[in-house]
């Protein structure tokens, strides 16, 4: 009797989100999948005949390099976010409440500003006569080309997505008792050994979550690569945009989008499987 009474309650609570996923995620995704297997027509959105040519073109050298560049920039952005975000997350997790609130405000405040405005700010900083090159000239060094390069894209993406790495790691470290660190140090472990044997294993799930968030958002970015990246070194998001709004090739754009989604989902499952396998090995030890 208790189960029959609680089931309608859970159905009522999860129903709105299930409807949201159905109509705003699954139905458009199915529509994209349908477009991807139809032939392209210059005068119509698509032809009724079914084909896999849109997926065969992805095996061309241009698209292979396009996906390779996108994945590479996503991995670099994720690695830089880890290097910058993990120490910051540890500092925030162990900071005093007032200092933590101030630093969290400074961390989250850029998210309240449009990504376009932040990218234009980086144009001013990284430009030929920007702040970085002016500082180099003042030091007697030659100016360097940062704007409209992959370096500029990585800098812009890190600036946007580093909070998505810091927040989950900080929340995980906050739940780790400080007494564990003190016990490890009292037993003779230095700070590096204490971090490797206690903090890192316990915060690993949140680290993987932050990596998946940053990576998936980075490889699907459009505004930052389009404004401060090299037009000849494009990412998949830019190609999809041009296929939809410039050449009006919706079937090919759908195949690119679906391939990117499936590739991201596959990498996520691989990362989760590796994390679960590592946690089992750590438990057996």
């Amino acid at each position: 009797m208790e189960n029959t009474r609680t089931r309608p309650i859970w159905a009522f609570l999860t129903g709105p989100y299930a409807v949201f996923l159905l109509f705003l995620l699954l139905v458009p995704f199915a529509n994209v999948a349908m477009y991807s297997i139809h032939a392209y027509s210059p005068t119509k959105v698509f032809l009724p005949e079914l084909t896999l040519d849109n997926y065969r073109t992805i095996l061309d050298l241009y698209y292979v390099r396009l996906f390779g560049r996108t994945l590479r920039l996503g991995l670099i952005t994720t690695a830089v976010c880890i290097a910058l975000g993990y120490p910051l997350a540890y500092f925030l997790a162990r900071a005093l409440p007032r200092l933590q609130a101030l630093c969290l405000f400074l961390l989250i405040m850029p998210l309240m500003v449009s990504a376009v405005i932040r990218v234009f700010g980086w144009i001013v900083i990284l430009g030929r006569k920007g702040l970085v090159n002016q500082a180099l000239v003042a030091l007697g060094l030659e100016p360097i080309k940062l704007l409209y390069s992959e370096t500029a894209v990585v800098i812009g993406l890190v600036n946007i997505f580093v909070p998505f790495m810091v927040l989950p790691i900080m929340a995980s470290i906050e739940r780790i008792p400080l007494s564990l660190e003190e016990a490890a140090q009292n037993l003779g472990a230095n700070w590096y050994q204490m971090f490797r044997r206690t903090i890192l294993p316990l915060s690993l799930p949140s680290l993987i979550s932050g990596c998946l968030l940053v990576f998936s958002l980075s490889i699907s970015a459009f505004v930052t690569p389009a404004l401060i990246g090299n037009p000849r070194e494009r990412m998949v998001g830019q190609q999809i945009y041009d296929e939809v709004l410039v050449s009006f090739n919706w079937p090919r754009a759908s195949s690119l989008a679906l391939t990117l989604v499936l590739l991201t989902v596959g990498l996520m499952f691989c990362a989760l499987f590796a994390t679960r396998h590592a946690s089992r090995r750590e438990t057996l030890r």
Side-chain angles (χ1 to χ4, degrees):
M1 294 296 293
E2 293 181 357
N3 292 334
T4 57
R5 293 178 180 176
T6 56
R7 284 177 183 175
I9 297 176
W10 285 108
F12 176 77
L13 294 176
T14 59
Y17 185 64
V19 174
F20 175 83
L21 287 180
L22 178 63
F23 288 100
L24 297 182
L25 180 62
L26 297 181
V27 173
F29 191 77
N31 193 32
V32 169
M34 182 195 69
Y35 280 135
S36 68
I37 58 175
H38 283 80
Y40 166 66
S41 173
T43 57
K44 301 178 181 178
V45 176
F46 62 90
L47 295 177
E49 59 188 44
L50 301 180
T51 180
L52 295 177
D53 290 339
N54 298 313
Y55 291 97
R56 294 191 185 99
T57 56
I58 298 178
L59 300 178
D60 294 343
L61 183 60
Y62 172 79
Y63 292 102
V64 171
R65 290 179 176 176
L66 184 71
F67 276 95
R69 185 184 306 114
T70 301
L71 296 177
R72 176 167 52 82
L73 292 178
L75 290 174
I76 294 174
T77 302
T78 305
V80 176
C81 285
I82 293 174
L84 298 178
Y86 207 111
L88 179 59
Y90 181 83
F91 169 77
L92 292 177
R94 300 306 186 209
L96 296 176
R98 291 185 179 180
L99 181 60
Q100 184 188 74
L102 176 61
C103 293
L104 282 176
F105 172 76
L106 296 176
L107 178 68
I108 298 175
M109 185 176 62
L111 297 178
M112 304 176 187
V113 181
S114 172
V116 178
I117 297 176
R118 280 184 285 177
V119 170
F120 279 120
W122 283 112
I123 293 177
V124 175
I125 295 173
L126 303 177
R128 181 68 179 177
K129 296 183 179 180
L131 298 178
V132 175
N133 282 324
Q134 287 182 359
L136 293 176
V137 172
L139 295 174
L141 301 175
E142 291 292 330
I144 58 177
K145 183 180 179 181
L146 291 175
L147 196 61
Y148 307 122
S149 65
E150 292 185 355
T151 303
V153 174
V154 171
I155 293 174
L157 293 178
V158 169
N159 173 250
I160 296 174
F161 298 135
V162 72
F164 297 97
M165 181 69 70
V166 173
L167 294 177
I169 297 176
M170 186 197 72
S172 177
I173 296 178
E174 279 184 327
R175 294 193 295 267
I176 301 175
L178 188 60
S179 58
L180 289 179
E181 300 182 22
E182 297 174 351
Q185 293 177 349
N186 291 335
L187 292 174
N190 56 33
W191 192 91
Y192 171 75
Q193 293 173 337
M194 178 273 299
F195 173 79
R196 184 174 61 87
R197 299 297 297 272
T198 58
I199 301 298
L200 184 59
L202 294 176
S203 62
L204 186 60
S206 62
L207 175 62
I208 298 298
S209 300
C211 290
L212 293 178
L213 277 173
V214 173
F215 181 76
S216 59
L217 292 173
S218 298
I219 63 176
S220 60
F222 166 72
V223 174
T224 301
L227 294 180
I228 61 177
N230 190 337
R232 298 180 181 179
E233 298 176 351
R234 305 155 59 84
M235 295 181 67
V236 176
Q238 298 168 264
Q239 186 67 32
I240 294 174
Y241 177 87
D242 287 346
E243 295 288 353
V244 173
L245 297 179
V246 178
S247 60
F248 299 100
N249 192 340
W250 287 23
R252 181 174 298 175
S254 300
S255 64
L256 291 173
L258 191 62
T259 302
L260 185 64
V261 171
L262 294 178
L263 187 61
T264 305
V265 172
L267 292 174
M268 286 183 178
F269 275 108
C270 292
L272 294 175
F273 176 78
T275 304
R276 181 175 298 180
H277 183 68
S279 62
R280 287 181 180 178
R281 290 181 59 182
E282 192 69 22
T283 303
L284 292 176
R285 289 180 182 179

